Amino acid sequence: MSLKRITPILAILLLASAVRIVNAGHWPVWTDEGWSTWAASDHHLDAILAAVSSDRHPPLYFLTLSAWWTLAGDSRIALRFLGIASGLLGIAVVYRIGLDWFGQRAALYAALLLSVLRVAIYYSQEIRHYGWLMLAVSLMTLFFLRYLRRPRPGMLVLYCLSITFMFYSLYIGVLVLGVQVVIGLFVWRGSWRSKAALLAAWGAAIVLYIPWLLVISRQLGILSGGIDGFPTSWTTLITLLGILFGAQFGLTVALYLLGVLHFVEPRATGVRMARLAHLTIALSGGGLFAFMFFANMGFGMLSARTMVYLTPMLVLISGYGLSLIQGRAQIVLTLVLAVASLSTTEIIQPRLDSNLAAQALAAEYTPGDLVILENGWDDNAVRYEVMVALPNGEQADIIRTLPWVNNRDQDQPVLPHVEDAIKAHRRVWVVNWYQPSQVMPYLSKGGDGFAQVMSRETPIGDQYKSLYTDQKMRVVLFERPDVARAPQVFGDLLALRDSLVPPEAVPSSALHVDLWWSAQKALPLDYSVGVFLQDSTGLIREQNDEPPGGTGSPPTSQWQPQTLHFDRHTLSIPGDLPAGDYRIGVHAYWYGDNKALPIAGQDYLIIGTVTVKSSP
């Protein structure tokens, strides 16, 4: 292929890459993406298969996602790369189909439409398998039509493998296979021998799928319920046309109808084969759209994500229709469609801004803390955002309560499942939204000796704001002080009842030191507390001074004797601090004269040691 011929499609693929990469690392994951990350995060084959088989999905994407995770990391852009790559490959395959049957101009228009179509971009950016399904049905169509044009074993093998790829990616693609079975057996005028070979290819694909057929039998209960999507109505039809055909869907639909009604001009393939290809592509796009629309009255199947696999075949016909326009109007319409699509900001799937809650938690988190999630169906998404926000998040102790509640149904108790984990920790975080919390009331009332010491609220974001009355996510820290130990008394005034010092830290990180104080008697002054990091030579390398409890807490002159008060001090570990063991010291003083309250004859008390490790 000459450089002049290949340059336009390369430019389209570069455009497609750009629009799919933009924001792919920025958006927080939504509910179903969160499920994907949960299913793939264990990295053990049996665990992934168990998670997938308990839902309604085939395993290939999730197994690949887990393997890719170990190579590329767990960032959003890394995990979404599988979708982005499949989207780009799908555009290339669509171009090749168009080139086979409609000519280069129509093929370029189809590739361009698929590159800028909002719904195709969106589902190529997800940590989900919809991009894989678009690629699978495109490959199936390419190899199927090429086999019908010229039956040969090599093409049949590729066709068989593409069917298997579809089977293991997403079940709904079987509808495209149904179209191809009808065309291959009843419309195509191939020889009986060639049709028998086609039957053998379908049979071979089923044989390759046998390992998963047993699992499907266990998923039928879930699959039979359909999906909770759009109802079949005139409003839904307009909505879906807008989703599938883009911002200027009236124009794109008109081009599609033009392409459907204008039979393909015969080329080297001959009239009959050209029209057969045209019919196959039309039935695999608009034909299946009509079928799903009316079948939805008895079995739920209409949603953006279940319809997106139709877009490759839809844009092929629309691209062909656009190529039939004469003169400058063709260029003008192309620019209008491209600009309108790229400037569209339509929300395909609303997302909870759980990344903000995760960041609020990460700012105050200490490795070893327990994190409990109470967010209903969004637990998986919140889990992923928390995991990527925390240092060494994959090793963090995070518990989803989703397994013990049924879509935010509080009839099932959560506490019996998490109480042992709570008892094994001194600090417990609870992240809660929408789901009525069971853990927070228990801990707030002193369950297992815990007390609430910190609370943050973050907005759910504009995309959820109009959908839910609960407008804030809550991030709450509970801590259990050990008050049975002998207190350390500063100047016969302030008693340090307990302290929690993290055992390890790394340079350029925050080190949270938690103290629990009480007043020995009514205090006449407002005292301050300093916490510092001291090296082996006695040099103080970092220090934090403030009133106990920080700004907003009652000053010590208002404390009631023997009442516990929580006090957190955060030390910023310098980036150039050498690795080694450092002592954590505490001193108390009145800011008026900066004179330390004595403790055991000293000006300060060493409460623990922290090991600073080398930078990761």
Side-chain angles (χ1 to χ4, degrees), residues 493-495 497 517-523 554-565:
L493 297 174
L494 282 173
R497 306 293 300 276
W517 298 95
S518 67
Q520 292 291 89
K521 55 186 177 181
L523 301 177
T556 57
S557 60
Q558 296 180 16
W559 286 8
Q560 295 297 316
Q562 309 307 319
T563 301
L564 283 175
H565 293 269

Side-chain angles (χ1 to χ4, degrees), residues 73-354:
D74 60 2
S75 68
R76 298 189 196 100
I77 188 66
L79 299 187
R80 286 171 175 155
F81 177 80
L82 293 179
I84 294 171
S86 66
L88 298 179
L89 289 172
I91 292 168
V93 175
V94 163
Y95 171 75
R96 187 65 255 183
I97 297 172
L99 203 59
D100 282 352
W101 304 105
F102 300 113
Q104 186 184 28
R105 189 178 293 270
L108 288 172
Y109 287 149
L112 178 61
L113 289 175
L114 192 57
S115 297
V116 300
L117 193 61
R118 178 64 186 145
V119 69
I121 294 171
Y122 185 88
Y123 285 109
S124 293
Q125 292 178 311
E126 280 206 332
I127 311 174
R128 295 293 283 171
H129 39 190
Y130 306 113
W132 282 38
L133 182 61
M134 286 190 282
L135 173 60
V137 299
S138 300
L139 288 170
M140 287 168 56
T141 304
L142 173 68
F143 298 137
F144 175 72
L145 293 177
R146 285 193 168 190
Y147 177 78
L148 297 192
R149 180 173 61 184
R150 183 185 167 197
R152 55 196 190 278
M155 196 57 60
L156 203 61
V157 170
L158 292 174
Y159 177 52
C160 174
L161 293 176
S162 66
I163 295 172
T164 307
F165 175 44
M166 178 274 293
F167 277 152
Y168 278 106
S169 293
L170 201 59
Y171 302 133
I172 200 169
V174 74
L175 295 178
V176 174
L177 179 60
V179 171
Q180 293 172 358
V181 169
V182 172
I183 295 292
L185 292 182
F186 304 108
V187 182
W188 179 46
R189 296 187 179 181
S191 67
W192 286 110
R193 182 176 180 178
S194 297
K195 289 192 177 186
L198 201 54
L199 280 168
W202 293 327
I206 292 174
V207 169
L208 292 173
Y209 198 54
I210 284 177
W212 197 250
L213 287 178
L214 296 176
V215 177
I216 290 180
S217 66
R218 299 199 300 267
Q219 295 179 329
L220 289 178
I222 304 175
L223 292 169
S224 63
I227 65 163
D228 184 17
F230 294 110
T232 298
S233 67
W234 173 254
T235 301
T236 295
L237 177 63
I238 299 301
T239 300
L240 289 176
L241 289 176
I243 291 172
L244 293 177
F245 285 96
Q248 295 292 326
F249 75 90
L251 173 58
T252 316
V253 170
L255 293 173
Y256 181 85
L257 294 175
L258 177 62
V260 167
L261 297 174
H262 192 284
F263 289 117
V264 179
E265 295 295 334
R267 292 157 56 216
T269 54
V271 175
R272 185 175 297 162
M273 190 59 231
R275 291 182 175 178
L276 186 62
H278 184 273
L279 176 64
T280 302
I281 294 169
L283 289 178
S284 300
L288 287 181
F289 175 82
F291 169 79
M292 293 178 68
F293 183 79
F294 290 107
N296 186 67
M297 290 186 289
F299 182 83
M301 59 173 59
L302 290 185
S303 73
R305 61 186 182 275
T306 57
M307 304 289 286
V308 69
Y309 78 105
L310 303 176
T311 54
M313 302 303 112
L314 295 176
V315 298
L316 276 166
I317 299 295
S318 294
Y320 173 58
L322 183 55
S323 71
L324 298 174
I325 305 295
Q326 300 298 314
R328 293 183 177 179
Q330 191 178 91
I331 304 300
V332 172
L333 291 178
T334 302
L335 291 174
V336 168
L337 289 173
V339 171
S341 296
L342 291 175
S343 60
T344 299
T345 57
E346 179 186 3
I347 297 172
I348 304 295
Q349 176 61 55
R351 298 168 183 268
L352 173 67
D353 282 355
S354 56

Side-chain angles (χ1 to χ4, degrees), residues 401-478:
T401 59
L402 175 59
W404 309 300
V405 295
N406 180 18
N407 195 15
R408 307 182 176 99
D409 179 2
Q410 293 303 291
D411 292 338
Q412 302 183 54
V414 167
L415 288 171
H417 300 282
V418 300
E419 192 167 10
D420 287 345
I422 289 174
K423 289 178 179 178
H425 291 79
R426 297 284 304 277
R427 280 189 290 249
V428 176
W429 291 91
V430 181
V431 183
N432 170 259
W433 172 75
Y434 198 77
Q435 171 185 324
S437 175
Q438 296 185 42
V439 178
M440 286 202 297
Y442 171 75
L443 296 178
S444 295
K445 294 176 182 177
D448 290 316
F450 279 87
Q452 178 177 322
V453 297
M454 193 177 298
S455 179
R456 303 285 185 265
E457 288 189 344
T458 61
I460 62 174
D462 292 338
Q463 295 185 20
Y464 264 32
K465 195 172 184 179
S466 61
L467 302 175
Y468 298 97
T469 55
D470 190 352
Q471 300 285 299
K472 298 288 185 181
M473 294 191 70
R474 289 158 291 281
V475 181
V476 183
L477 174 62
F478 297 89

